């Protein structure tokens, strides 16, 4: 296997970021030749701005954020491509008393 591709990803600590976290923490990314560095962020605005200025190669974002970035409706407009959706809302962990 050749050299790993270095990828930096921003995410918010929410259930739908589990795909990114699992890819990094459980070694799924490494098995595909990706050196994945995760950066936990504290706000959607941080993610929006850091992807626009190139700090992140990819990011966990709210659905409308890439559209707003592409349309120039954000402080730092950027061309953003959305290859897939991590979640469609309503994500949860359900437990019972038993």
């Amino acid at each position: 296997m050749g050299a790993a591709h270095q990828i930096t990803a921003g995410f918010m600590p929410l259930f739908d970021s589990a795909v990114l976290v699992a890819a990094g923490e459980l070694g799924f990314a490494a098995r595909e030749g990706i050196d994945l560095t995760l950066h936990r962020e504290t706000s959607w605005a941080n993610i929006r701005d850091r992807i626009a200025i190139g700090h992140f190669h990819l990011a966990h974002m709210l659905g409308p954020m890439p559209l707003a970035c592409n349309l120039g409706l954000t402080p730092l407009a950027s061309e953003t491509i959305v290859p897939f959706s991590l979640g469609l809302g309503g994500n949860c962990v359900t437990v019972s008393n038993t």
Side-chain angles (χ1 to χ4, degrees), residues 62-82:
L62 294 171
M65 289 173 67
L67 294 172
C69 290
N70 281 328
L71 294 172
L73 303 175
T74 61
L76 300 170
S78 63
E79 186 175 324
T80 309
I81 299 168
V82 182

Side-chain angles (χ1 to χ4, degrees), residues 8-11 20 47-48 51 56-61 86:
T8 303
F11 75 99
L20 285 175
I47 287 177
R48 177 199 65 213
I51 200 137
F56 298 145
H57 295 104
L58 62 96
H60 167 225
M61 300 174 99
L86 295 175

Side-chain angles (χ1 to χ4, degrees), residues 20-47:
L20 285 175
V21 175
E25 297 299 317
L26 299 178
F28 300 135
R31 280 187 279 193
E32 297 298 323
I34 298 169
D35 180 12
L36 181 62
T37 302
L38 298 173
H39 287 276
R40 178 181 173 159
E41 285 297 326
T42 57
S43 74
W44 294 113
N46 284 358
I47 287 177

